[in-house]
Amino acid sequence: MKKATAVFLIMISVFMTSCGEIEIIELNERLIIEAIGIDFEDGKYKVTIEGLDSFTSGSEGNNISSARLTKCYLFEGETIGMAMNSISEITGQTPLFSQARVLILGIDTAREHLSEALDFFRREYTTRTDVLIAVSEGSASETVSADFGENVSAGNIFEASLSSYRHTGKSTYTPLYRFLNSMMGETDSAYCPIIGIKDNAFSDKKEVDIKGTAIFSKNENVHIITKDDTLAVMIMNNDAENGDITLNTAKGICTFEIIESKTKTGIEIKDGKAVFNVNISLRCDIPEYQTEDLSGLSKDDTEKAAIQAAKQIAALITDVLDETFYKNNCDIFDIGRKINLKDNSFYKNNIIQTETISENVTFNIKVSVSVRRIGKVILEKDE
């Protein structure tokens, strides 16, 4: 019994010695980060931080917003790390990055310093890897510190807007880890939304304006596609949860709402080319039909409209492939990786050596559209 007691006491002593003292940081000593903006100007990185202002302390000199639910601070340094390290010195609080909702890079910074920015956040373990990444139409500082109202967080607004636009097929929803994995893959291409700010029509506050999608390639070129073309990117990558297709039919203007999108792809090597087969299946509703004939679409009209919608989506995808893949050599659809998995020798001899994937790939795109319901409008006739 004495031996057992002695061993138990030794274990407790070792455990306490190895753990040491646990540092407890009070909530009012924390700066809870909601949004991060990165710019590079005049040879320095400028980091704009939006933090919750529930327990504000520290210097007001770097505060670039008025009193509200959150406050924005501007930090500068020769590197992003140096700017980040000055947060505690200036605010008197320890930053908590795990609650950050969005990381925004200024568009010019993303063009010229993307690698440096990504390298920091890839190494910095305190930042959430599922934080959303986007680029701003102007400077990231102006975007993060935009006035959305005293009782709202800009980070929350950005996150909600990106989620909302995603469900309409107008914006991608890109977590940082997905962006990093894409840029470090076989094809070194990635994409994320472009955020703009505009005046609210009903108040003196600002609101989010999604401008489109920024596509990055390994040669650090940035290609921009519109938010209308973004739907093609989402469908190709099996990421479309919703979206609208507007058709000018012979019977009137018809809107198809995508309720389910499935894309299956396959690779075959044929005649010295990699043939990328794309089979897309869309299930849709017709929530809106504008015509003088209020009785709605007949079954025959609906079938014709579905065929027209399929052709319209196929044409949209073809246009986006021409702009991104063929003209700008941006492989945001992981085509290179899929070729590598299918035929490693073909990939090495025709992709790696030439460094131009688009010259060795052709596409075969098939789109089918089915309509779940027609939604006729029945009018009562006057007696």
Side-chain angles (χ1 to χ4, degrees):
M1 185 66 181
K2 291 182 179 180
K3 289 183 179 180
T5 303
V7 171
F8 178 74
L9 292 174
I10 291 173
M11 290 177 64
I12 292 293
S13 177
V14 171
F15 176 77
M16 294 180 66
T17 302
S18 62
C19 290
E21 295 183 2
I22 299 175
E23 182 183 6
I24 298 176
I25 301 176
E26 299 293 339
L27 186 60
N28 65 328
E29 297 174 344
R30 288 281 195 185
L31 180 62
I32 301 174
I33 308 300
E34 290 282 297
I36 306 169
I38 306 290
D39 293 302
F40 186 84
E41 299 176 1
D42 302 325
K44 289 186 177 181
Y45 283 96
K46 297 185 178 182
V47 178
T48 305
I49 296 293
E50 183 199 36
L52 291 180
D53 193 35
S54 300
F55 302 92
T56 302
S57 65
S59 170
E60 296 290 338
N62 282 56
N63 180 15
I64 59 176
S65 66
S66 59
R68 56 184 64 249
L69 177 66
T70 63
K71 283 190 176 181
C72 288
Y73 297 88
L74 180 64
F75 310 95
E76 297 184 356
E78 295 180 4
T79 67
I80 296 176
M82 292 174 67
M84 291 289 194
N85 289 337
S86 65
I87 294 177
S88 296
E89 298 174 7
I90 293 174
T91 65
Q93 296 172 297
T94 302
L96 180 63
F97 290 100
S98 61
Q99 302 303 308
R101 300 172 183 271
V102 62
L103 166 64
I104 299 177
L105 304 178
I107 185 65
D108 293 333
T109 304
R111 283 194 176 100
E112 300 174 6
H113 301 277
L114 180 64
S115 298
E116 294 92 330
L118 292 182
D119 185 66
F120 173 82
F121 288 101
R122 181 172 65 88
R123 298 172 185 272
E124 178 52 58
Y125 64 91
T126 59
T127 306
R128 283 173 48 190
T129 56
D130 61 344
V131 62
L132 298 179
I133 184 171
V135 297
S136 59
E137 183 183 31
S139 73
S141 177
E142 292 176 352
T143 303
V144 170
S145 60
D147 184 5
F148 294 106
E150 294 183 0
N151 297 317
V152 297
S153 155
N156 192 15
I157 292 292
F158 293 134
E159 184 181 43
S161 296
L162 290 173
S163 178
S164 176
Y165 273 88
R166 175 194 186 187
H167 292 294
T168 61
K170 301 295 185 183
S171 172
T172 63
Y173 193 81
T174 309
L176 178 60
Y177 71 83
R178 182 188 297 179
F179 193 91
L180 286 169
N181 290 340
S182 297
M183 288 300 292
M184 293 186 295
E186 285 98 336
T187 48
D188 301 322
S189 298
Y191 57 88
C192 67
I194 305 173
I195 292 178
I197 302 297
K198 64 180 180 180
D199 294 330
N200 189 301
F202 302 100
S203 71
D204 59 349
K205 307 302 180 184
K206 300 292 184 181
E207 63 181 49
V208 177
D209 184 20
I210 302 298
K211 294 295 185 178
T213 301
I215 299 173
F216 300 84
S217 64
K218 61 183 177 181
N219 56 7
E220 297 189 352
N221 285 337
V222 181
H223 181 68
I224 296 174
I225 62 175
T226 67
K227 58 186 178 183
D228 292 327
D229 290 342
T230 298
L231 179 61
V233 175
M234 300 177 72
I235 289 175
M236 280 285 287
N237 283 326
N238 240 340
D239 198 31
E241 296 187 1
N242 210 312
D244 294 336
I245 310 168
T246 302
L247 306 172
N248 291 312
T249 70
K251 298 291 185 177
I253 299 175
C254 181
T255 300
F256 276 42
E257 180 184 353
I258 299 172
I259 57 175
E260 185 180 51
S261 174
K262 293 183 178 180
T263 300
K264 295 181 179 180
T265 60
I267 295 283
E268 60 178 332
I269 308 302
K270 188 176 181 181
D271 299 328
K273 295 277 188 179
V275 181
F276 198 76
N277 296 308
V278 183
N279 290 289
I280 298 168
S281 176
L282 302 176
R283 287 204 308 134
C284 302
D285 283 343
I286 303 179
E288 190 172 19
Y289 176 52
Q290 300 175 13
T291 179
E292 293 180 357
D293 180 9
L294 297 180
S295 62
L297 292 168
S298 67
K299 182 178 179 181
D300 183 59
D301 292 334
T302 303
E303 291 175 352
K304 290 179 179 179
I307 294 173
Q308 183 179 340
K311 291 180 179 178
Q312 189 164 311
I313 290 296
L316 180 64
I317 291 174
T318 300
D319 290 342
V320 170
L321 285 171
D322 286 341
E323 285 295 320
T324 61
F325 187 73
Y326 286 110
K327 292 182 181 179
N328 293 279
N329 203 35
C330 295
D331 182 14
I332 57 174
F333 306 116
D334 287 336
I335 296 167
R337 182 179 64 84
K338 293 174 182 177
I339 294 174
N340 190 12
L341 293 174
K342 176 69 176 179
D343 191 328
N344 179 257
S345 61
F346 180 88
Y347 178 77
K348 287 182 178 179
N349 296 330
N350 297 277
I351 308 298
I352 296 296
Q353 291 184 4
T354 62
E355 296 185 352
T356 307
I357 185 174
S358 58
E359 294 181 357
N360 299 281
V361 180
T362 60
F363 290 88
N364 181 21
I365 300 172
K366 294 181 180 179
V367 181
S368 62
V369 175
S370 61
V371 181
R372 189 172 64 174
R373 63 174 181 262
I374 297 175
K376 288 186 177 181
V377 178
I378 301 176
L379 300 178
E380 294 183 1
K381 294 184 178 180
D382 293 332
E383 301 232 352

